[in-house]
Amino acid sequence: MNERRRSSLDGKPDNHLPPPVRALPEGRLLQYWKERERQHLRDVYAGLRIKKFPEDLRVLEHLLWISRSQVVIELGTHLGGSALWFRDRLRTVAAYGRVPEDIRVVTVDTTQDRARALLQDADPYFAKDITLVEGDITDPGVTEAVAQHIPAAARCLVVEDTAHTYETTYAALRHFSLFVADDGYFVVEDGIVDMAQLSPPGMPGGVVPAVRDWLTTEQGRRFHVRRDLELYGVTCHPFGWLQRVHP
């Protein structure tokens, strides 16, 4: 299948399907993984880039349901596709009566102008349920800014998808784990950057070491790693599915 030319102006592909992953002969699993990794970089939701494996999105969907999360705090907005996806999943969970109708996605990035324009183009009313916060997650002031947009007593799912370095991962856990209620979830994305054979080129790494180090702190000991949530055999987030332990 020929791939259509992609626009360099707004980051949206001209067609709305990602490039296909070819079936590979037995024994070529590493090549298959690399093709899947390249594919997900050009995947889209509602016309915007989303950059997440379908298998991981399915697990996130499960977690939203079982944790009764009313709010998603997304660290790393990029082009806004995942913010729309989270918003639409929360709307569905609310429609089934699992959470209040006052759902919200609070999404953080260092700059938001491009994401704001793309979200406005995709859904002129996006701001009803999606709040863009601009700032650096290593700044405690950003945590305070996020807190202002969370309804009282709302259960939150936190998803970290920033620079995938030790410093940013550790800061995200330190500053934003406080929003996760008992039995709730904090998802640290893209631990594959620390897997030598799977890591995309040019990634500095440090995600998995940051998670392991943080789990030894007083704050981190309230969480544990749920490797069993790597449900579908293919995940970008090894060691990244964290659950707050009920006292």
Side-chain angles (χ1 to χ4, degrees), residues 64 69-77 86 90 104-108 131 133 137 142-143 146-147 149-150 154-161 172 175-180 185-187:
L64 287 170
S69 294
Q70 180 183 350
V71 174
V72 171
I73 300 172
E74 179 187 46
L75 308 178
T77 308
F86 283 122
L90 286 172
R104 180 150 294 274
V105 176
V106 184
T107 181
V108 182
T131 299
V133 173
I137 63 165
V142 174
T143 311
V146 168
H149 299 286
I150 298 176
R155 291 179 62 85
C156 300
L157 172 73
V158 182
V159 180
E160 190 274 335
D161 187 16
H175 295 158
F176 292 91
S177 61
L178 58 90
F179 292 106
V180 180
Y185 297 91
F186 191 119
V187 181

Side-chain angles (χ1 to χ4, degrees), residues 3-18:
E3 185 183 68
R4 298 180 184 177
R5 185 180 302 276
R6 283 170 159 70
S7 169
S8 61
L9 298 177
D10 61 6
K12 294 191 296 184
D14 293 326
N15 76 7
H16 293 279
L17 295 176

Side-chain angles (χ1 to χ4, degrees), residues 48 77-80 111-121 126 132:
L48 301 183
T77 308
H78 192 49
L79 300 181
T111 59
Q112 296 283 26
D113 289 347
R114 192 178 185 200
R116 183 177 290 106
L118 293 172
L119 285 165
Q120 181 71 28
D121 183 58
F126 80 90
L132 302 177

Side-chain angles (χ1 to χ4, degrees), residues 231-246:
L231 291 173
Y232 297 103
V234 175
T235 181
C236 283
H237 318 322
F239 302 97
W241 305 93
L242 309 180
Q243 184 177 23
R244 181 182 282 275
V245 179
H246 194 282

Side-chain angles (χ1 to χ4, degrees), residues 12-87:
K12 294 191 296 184
D14 293 326
N15 76 7
H16 293 279
L17 295 176
V21 172
R22 298 187 299 272
L24 296 173
E26 186 177 354
R28 303 289 293 279
L29 291 180
L30 181 59
Q31 183 180 342
Y32 173 78
W33 168 270
K34 290 183 179 297
E35 292 232 4
R36 288 292 309 280
E37 195 275 332
R38 283 192 291 269
Q39 179 201 47
H40 99 289
L41 294 175
R42 300 205 300 269
D43 209 344
V44 294
Y45 178 76
L48 301 183
R49 290 284 172 85
I50 189 168
K51 291 189 175 182
K52 297 189 190 296
F53 273 24
E55 293 87 349
D56 290 327
L57 290 173
R58 187 70 181 111
V59 177
L60 287 166
E61 200 167 29
H62 286 306
L63 297 189
L64 287 170
W65 181 269
I66 64 178
S67 67
R68 294 180 179 268
S69 294
Q70 180 183 350
V71 174
V72 171
I73 300 172
E74 179 187 46
L75 308 178
T77 308
H78 192 49
L79 300 181
S82 53
L84 281 178
W85 186 90
F86 283 122
R87 191 275 310 270

